[in-house]
Amino acid sequence: MRCVNVETAPPAPQRSRALWVPAGVLTAVGGAFAYVAAVDPNEPGHYPVCPLWRFTGLYCPGCGGLRSAHAFAHGDLATALTNNALAVAGFVGFAALWTVWVVQAARGRPLSLRFGTVQMWSVGALALVFTVVRNLPFGGWLHP
C-alpha cells in the first residue's frame, strides 16, 4: 500500500479568519472610493493640486486619478477613462487581484504573487510611456 499525501483544507473557523484581511482591505478601499465619490475632485479646493503639474505644467501618471475614481464610483466609465485610463486599469486590476485573494483565502491557501523583473520593468515602462505620450501634443486625448 502506498502513502498518498493529501492536502486537506483548514477547518472553517481558520478559513473565516483568513477572510478578515481581504475584508479589511476591501473596507478601506471602499471607504476611500466612497469619500472620493462624495467629495467631488472636480470642485476646486477639495484636494491638493499635483505638484508636478503645478510647477512644470506636465501631467504625471497619477494626474486625473481622483477625478477618474470619482467618475468610476458613479458608474461613468467613459469619463473615468478620459480622466486617467491607467488608473481605471489599476482599479480593474485591483478588483481581479482581490477576487483571487478571497477565493484563495476561502480555500485555505495563501495568496502567492510572484512578480519577476520582467513584470516590474513592464509596469514601469507602461507608466513611463503613458506619462510621455500624455504630455506630447498628439497625446491630448490622454489629458485629464
Side-chain angles (χ1 to χ4, degrees):
M1 181 169 174
R2 71 184 219 203
C3 286
V4 178
N5 187 5
V6 177
E7 192 175 313
T8 60
Q14 285 182 341
R15 280 185 279 158
S16 67
R17 271 186 263 147
L19 292 172
W20 287 11
V21 175
V25 169
L26 183 64
T27 302
V29 170
F33 261 89
Y35 180 80
V36 172
V39 181
D40 190 356
N42 296 302
E43 304 274 331
H46 290 256
Y47 299 97
V49 176
C50 173
L52 182 68
W53 184 80
R54 172 179 256 165
F55 295 120
T56 67
L58 297 173
Y59 297 109
C60 76
C63 280
L66 287 173
R67 286 176 288 210
S68 180
H70 179 78
F72 194 84
H74 286 277
D76 189 357
L77 186 59
T79 302
L81 285 167
T82 301
N83 285 322
N84 192 323
L86 193 60
V88 173
F91 304 152
V92 172
F94 171 80
L97 181 62
W98 184 85
T99 302
V100 169
W101 187 15
V102 167
V103 169
Q104 290 293 89
R107 291 180 177 169
R109 298 181 187 141
L111 180 63
S112 176
L113 297 176
R114 296 175 198 207
F115 295 116
T117 306
V118 173
Q119 290 86 1
M120 296 305 286
W121 277 101
S122 298
V123 169
L126 175 67
L128 180 64
V129 168
F130 177 73
T131 303
V132 169
V133 170
R134 79 188 315 203
N135 285 293
L136 293 174
F138 65 85
W141 56 281
L142 290 173
H143 289 180

